[in-house]
Amino acid sequence: MNDTQLAQRNGSAIAQRAEDKGAPRVTVVPAVDIVEDANGVTLWADLPGVSRENLQVSFNDGALHIEGQAVVATPSGLRVQHAEIRQPHFARSFSLSPDLDAGHIDAQLKDGVLKLTIARREEARPRRIAVNLS
């Protein structure tokens, strides 16, 4: 992990942290949907404007970290009249259950939505036990 601090989620889902240079940096906590089934967990995170090159997904010490920087280009010939967040920084982290296999995480980014699929460990998957007649 680098020197970036992750933002804590609050009511507005926006947190600020002072940069070393004195200017505030706006960090947006992305909205996520999480679905769990017998095979594992699927997580969708909204990261509008974030490209694959500006996205970092990592796993360290039992926590999954998502960070990304959105780049919103201004069309040529136009100038910005009002901008509340020009290039938002997205950050969120999650603690993973030991039942999930951090070695098998599939990540896909499409149309500003990150999809993470985390497999459940084989020994943690539900299984049917055969009952024999004696």
Side-chain angles (χ1 to χ4, degrees):
M1 191 83 176
N2 58 23
D3 64 348
T4 303
Q5 297 173 346
L6 295 180
Q8 296 297 318
R9 189 166 189 71
N10 62 25
S12 66
I14 295 178
Q16 290 189 351
R17 158 176 105 77
E19 285 289 303
D20 296 336
K21 299 175 180 113
R25 174 177 171 172
V26 176
T27 298
V28 179
V29 180
V32 299
D33 292 325
I34 301 173
V35 177
E36 183 176 7
D37 63 17
N39 296 319
V41 172
T42 303
L43 178 145
W44 289 273
D46 293 334
L47 303 168
V50 176
S51 66
R52 189 181 75 159
E53 295 77 25
N54 293 329
L55 177 64
Q56 180 181 356
V57 180
S58 60
F59 179 77
N60 189 16
D61 292 333
L64 177 69
H65 303 281
I66 301 170
E67 289 194 65
Q69 182 75 33
V71 177
V72 182
T74 302
S76 63
L78 298 178
R79 65 183 172 99
V80 177
Q81 292 289 42
H82 175 78
E84 293 183 8
I85 302 176
R86 287 293 300 145
Q87 295 187 344
H89 174 260
F90 294 94
R92 188 121 186 223
S93 63
F94 301 90
S95 296
L96 290 188
S97 164
D99 289 348
L100 298 175
D101 188 354
H104 289 93
I105 298 176
D106 178 56
Q108 298 176 9
L109 180 67
K110 182 178 179 184
D111 298 330
V113 177
L114 173 65
K115 178 184 177 185
L116 297 175
T117 306
I118 309 166
R120 188 175 305 282
R121 293 185 185 280
E122 188 63 39
E123 59 272 9
R125 291 186 185 186
R127 62 180 200 261
R128 187 177 183 114
I129 300 172
V131 178
N132 297 317
L133 294 175
S134 36

